[in-house]
Amino acid sequence: MGTLTPQELLKQWRLDKMTVDMAIGHILQNLVDMQRAYDARNISIYNLRADVDSLIAHTGMKPNPKGRKKPPKKG
C-alpha cells in the first residue's frame, strides 16, 4: 500500500472513501518517510560540515564565520 499525499488523504476522507483507521495508517507512513528524509538530511549536513572543516585544516585557511562577502552592486 502506497502512501497518499496529505491533500489526497484529506480529499478521500472528506468524501467518505477512507476510514479514520486507514487515514491514520497513511499519516503514520508519511510521518515515517518524513523522519527518514530528515535524518538523511542531517547526516548529509554533518558530513558536509566535516568535509569543509577537513579542507580548511588541510589548506591552512582561517575560517570565516561570517561567510563570503557579497560582491558590490553594479550601477
Side-chain angles (χ1 to χ4, degrees):
M1 173 168 81
T3 60
L4 301 174
T5 64
Q7 295 84 1
E8 185 62 25
L9 281 173
L10 183 60
K11 179 181 173 185
Q12 295 293 322
W13 184 70
R14 283 184 176 165
L15 295 172
D16 289 329
K17 293 185 177 183
M18 180 177 294
T19 66
V20 172
D21 291 340
M22 290 170 62
I24 290 172
H26 281 283
I27 291 167
L28 285 172
Q29 288 179 8
N30 284 336
L31 181 62
V32 168
D33 289 345
M34 289 172 56
Q35 184 66 49
R36 283 186 187 135
Y38 179 80
D39 292 344
R41 186 202 62 176
N42 282 345
I43 289 169
S44 294
I45 290 171
Y46 176 81
N47 289 336
L48 179 60
R49 180 73 245 176
D51 289 345
V52 168
D53 290 344
S54 175
L55 284 171
I56 289 171
H58 179 71
T59 60
M61 291 175 38
K62 292 182 181 179
N64 184 356
K66 294 182 182 178
R68 252 173 105 176
K69 291 183 180 179
K70 293 182 181 178
K73 292 182 179 179
K74 295 180 180 178

